[in-house]
Amino acid sequence: LLEEKRVNDLFHMAHILGINMSYREVENVTKNKKPIINEVEGKLILNLNSALNFVETSLKGNYLTWDITFVVQINKLLLSNFRANTESKIRESGEAVDKSNDTWSELRDLTVTSTYIRPKLVQTLDTYKASISKTHDLINLIVLWYSLIRICPFVSQNKLTILTILEIASMISKYFE
């Protein structure tokens, strides 16, 4: 049942990202088989599967913490095989957003300069953690999604990272189960 849920999640996330994969191909990805699609899309979906595996392992060991280190680690897992590990970081010092494969970067709040990204991200994660037991899960997920889009915290792959963080948040809350 858990494997079927993973396949469904990856299948829908692939299509949200514009990756046209069959259900069977996504099923193979969950078994760590290389997909038969273009190389970039294949790496994206394999990295997404790796990130979700990392989270499931973290959840089993009860050592998942909603903080900057965690979200940077997710971004790093999603960028593996694309960029150097040094590029998996929060934007600072006027760094531009890599808009390739990132259609949400245009939605960011341009008044949030790179100087304020880190404090805004900390505030967003703290607000999310504080509201978990007080507010309905769906509202928390929407506010988290909106806040992360407005900040656009990473140099690369903000859309994929934000979608993955939302998937993780929904896994933890068990909202979609």
Side-chain angles (χ1 to χ4, degrees), residues 66 104 120-121 123-132 134-153 162 165-166 169:
W66 283 99
W104 289 356
K120 285 274 193 188
L121 183 56
Q123 179 186 17
T124 296
L125 295 172
D126 287 347
T127 301
Y128 175 75
K129 286 188 290 190
S131 66
I132 288 174
K134 300 173 188 169
T135 311
H136 191 277
D137 291 333
L138 185 57
I139 293 170
N140 286 333
L141 292 172
I142 292 168
V143 170
L144 181 63
W145 172 76
Y146 178 77
S147 299
L148 290 172
I149 286 175
R150 300 293 289 169
I151 298 168
C152 200
I162 292 168
I165 289 169
L166 290 176

Side-chain angles (χ1 to χ4, degrees), residues 21 24-47 49 81:
M21 294 180 74
R24 175 78 61 207
E25 288 172 317
V26 174
E27 216 170 26
N28 287 336
V29 167
T30 62
K31 296 172 184 167
N32 294 318
K33 294 179 182 173
K34 187 175 179 180
I36 307 170
I37 55 174
N38 89 40
E39 188 176 353
V40 172
E41 292 175 345
K43 286 179 183 177
L44 280 174
I45 202 72
L46 282 170
N47 289 350
N49 189 51
N81 303 315

Side-chain angles (χ1 to χ4, degrees), residues 14-156:
H15 285 85
I16 288 171
L17 294 168
I19 302 170
N20 190 15
M21 294 180 74
S22 70
Y23 193 83
R24 175 78 61 207
E25 288 172 317
V26 174
E27 216 170 26
N28 287 336
V29 167
T30 62
K31 296 172 184 167
N32 294 318
K33 294 179 182 173
K34 187 175 179 180
I36 307 170
I37 55 174
N38 89 40
E39 188 176 353
V40 172
E41 292 175 345
K43 286 179 183 177
L44 280 174
I45 202 72
L46 282 170
N47 289 350
L48 177 57
N49 189 51
S50 295
L52 295 177
N53 283 337
F54 164 75
V55 170
E56 284 176 357
T57 303
S58 298
L59 287 173
K60 286 177 187 171
N62 283 332
Y63 54 87
L64 190 143
T65 306
W66 283 99
D67 59 12
I68 286 184
T69 306
F70 171 70
V71 294
V72 169
Q73 179 65 31
I74 294 300
N75 185 251
K76 187 179 288 189
L77 286 167
L78 295 170
L79 285 175
S80 63
N81 303 315
F82 284 108
R83 307 252 194 262
N85 280 344
T86 56
E87 291 189 43
S88 175
K89 62 180 182 176
I90 296 169
R91 287 187 302 123
E92 41 192 42
S93 305
E95 291 173 306
V97 174
D98 176 4
K99 295 180 183 178
S100 60
N101 297 319
D102 201 348
T103 54
W104 289 356
S105 61
E106 297 299 321
L107 302 173
R108 73 184 185 279
D109 182 351
L110 297 175
T111 64
V112 179
T113 61
S114 55
T115 308
Y116 299 106
I117 289 172
R118 186 173 292 274
K120 285 274 193 188
L121 183 56
V122 168
Q123 179 186 17
T124 296
L125 295 172
D126 287 347
T127 301
Y128 175 75
K129 286 188 290 190
S131 66
I132 288 174
S133 63
K134 300 173 188 169
T135 311
H136 191 277
D137 291 333
L138 185 57
I139 293 170
N140 286 333
L141 292 172
I142 292 168
V143 170
L144 181 63
W145 172 76
Y146 178 77
S147 299
L148 290 172
I149 286 175
R150 300 293 289 169
I151 298 168
C152 200
F154 300 102
V155 172
S156 185

Side-chain angles (χ1 to χ4, degrees), residues 163-174:
L163 283 171
T164 304
I165 289 169
L166 290 176
E167 175 63 21
I168 293 163
S170 69
M171 283 169 57
I172 292 169
S173 72
K174 296 181 170 78

